[in-house]
Amino acid sequence: IRSGYRLIDYSAAYGDGSLVAKGIEASGVSRDELILTTRVSNRAQFAGADRVKDEFLEQLKNMKTDYVDIFMFHWPVTDCYEKTWKVMVELYKQGYVKTLGVANCHEHHLEVLFNLTEERPLINQFEIHPLFTQKKLIRYCLDNGIRPEAYTPTARFDDRLVRLPLLHRIGKKYGKSILQVVLRWHVQNGVIPVVRALTKSHQQENIDIFDFSLSEAEMADIDGININARVRYDPDNCDFSIL
């Protein structure tokens, strides 16, 4: 937060939410300046609607807040996510949530939700990076008023990405690292990259991407890196019990 970040990306699957509260308190930044996100765990989805609600209220208590800015489910768990969504909509209508979102949803998952309730998700967080550009899903989301968020936006530093001469040439041109080039590519594509960093210097590197712009040709060149390679899981082909 002190480095300038305002989006906090959390999930019940990540552990102790009280650490989020401690971080906010120590930052000196008021709660209303932050965008606090949390997600429903798969464990709660398997347990049923009551557990989804109880888990969420536990998170609020642990994070010492009476609302979250963005509430998602972590995965579209088969035979569960529809019921989970209905609970999320109830919590939204009760004022606990400002914005509803989802994560790891393909088009067919979103279409189910469109027909399920009057409320629609406004954010979809899914795997996007130059090795897996997801152009079709991004376009579908944008056309339906859903902002795409990218997790693993730099492909977890996969060698197939970070060793590419193209990215090094572009980075050298702008005096930026290849990771900054990739994050800038996300932003210019209308995608919100959710970044992770364990040091202050890396945090600053991730956020220092707003003083340059990639050309149309450079954007197209980075698009061309795509090999449809995931580094995480396909929501249509995974075991949700281990996620």
Side-chain angles (χ1 to χ4, degrees):
I1 297 172
R2 288 173 176 166
S3 294
Y5 291 85
R6 292 297 178 266
L7 171 65
I8 298 175
D9 184 77
Y10 177 68
S11 169
Y14 294 165
D16 188 357
S18 66
L19 297 177
V20 174
K22 291 177 182 178
I24 293 173
E25 290 172 357
S27 73
V29 172
S30 65
R31 169 69 181 88
D32 60 6
E33 292 184 43
L34 301 173
I35 301 171
L36 181 56
T37 301
T38 194
R39 293 190 287 284
V40 180
S41 70
N42 292 350
R43 181 177 60 254
Q45 290 200 63
F46 282 124
D50 288 344
R51 182 56 192 148
V52 169
K53 182 175 182 178
D54 289 346
E55 180 187 77
F56 174 77
L57 295 176
E58 289 169 8
Q59 289 181 73
L60 291 187
K61 181 180 179 180
N62 290 337
M63 293 187 289
K64 296 183 179 180
T65 185
D66 55 5
Y67 73 97
V68 295
D69 298 276
I70 303 171
F71 187 36
M72 307 174 173
F73 55 65
H74 211 136
W75 292 87
V77 176
T78 306
D79 297 327
C80 297
Y81 77 93
E82 299 96 327
K83 296 175 183 177
T84 297
W85 177 253
K86 289 181 179 180
V87 176
M88 293 168 61
V89 169
E90 288 179 12
L91 292 166
Y92 168 78
K93 291 181 176 179
Q94 291 168 7
Y96 292 112
V97 177
K98 287 191 173 182
T99 301
L100 288 169
V102 293
N104 296 295
C105 280
H106 288 317
E107 292 178 23
H108 68 88
H109 297 117
L110 294 170
E111 288 171 356
V112 168
L113 298 182
F114 292 164
N115 294 315
L116 197 61
T117 66
E118 61 184 16
E119 300 297 334
R120 287 190 168 200
L122 298 182
I123 296 173
N124 185 17
Q125 184 182 117
F126 52 101
E127 181 178 346
I128 313 169
H129 44 75
L131 297 175
F132 191 54
T133 56
Q134 296 261 53
K135 289 294 185 181
K136 183 180 177 183
L137 183 53
I138 289 172
R139 175 45 51 196
Y140 179 86
C141 287
L142 292 174
D143 287 346
N144 283 278
I146 300 172
R147 177 57 67 93
E149 274 190 349
Y151 71 82
T152 61
T154 56
R156 296 197 166 192
F157 309 143
D158 192 294
D159 278 351
R160 294 171 295 178
L161 180 65
V162 299
R163 296 179 65 183
L164 288 175
L166 167 67
L167 295 178
H168 287 274
R169 286 197 302 269
I170 296 174
K172 185 176 181 180
K173 173 183 174 181
Y174 294 105
K176 296 292 183 179
S177 70
I178 60 171
L179 301 181
Q180 289 172 314
V181 169
V182 170
L183 294 176
R184 183 66 202 180
W185 169 80
H186 281 290
V187 169
Q188 288 185 217
N189 274 325
V191 174
I192 302 168
V194 178
V195 295
R196 178 177 182 266
L198 298 179
T199 66
K200 186 173 182 179
S201 61
H202 190 189
Q203 289 171 357
Q204 196 60 51
E205 178 186 4
N206 284 339
I207 207 170
D208 188 21
I209 61 170
F210 298 102
D211 57 353
F212 76 108
S213 295
L214 300 171
S215 69
E216 290 185 11
E218 289 163 343
M219 290 290 291
D221 286 342
I222 297 173
D223 287 345
I225 295 171
N226 180 59
I227 55 174
N228 289 324
R230 291 182 181 272
V231 296
R232 297 299 289 158
Y233 301 95
D234 181 352
D236 279 342
N237 185 28
C238 66
D239 184 345
F240 293 112
S241 68
I242 63 172
L243 301 180

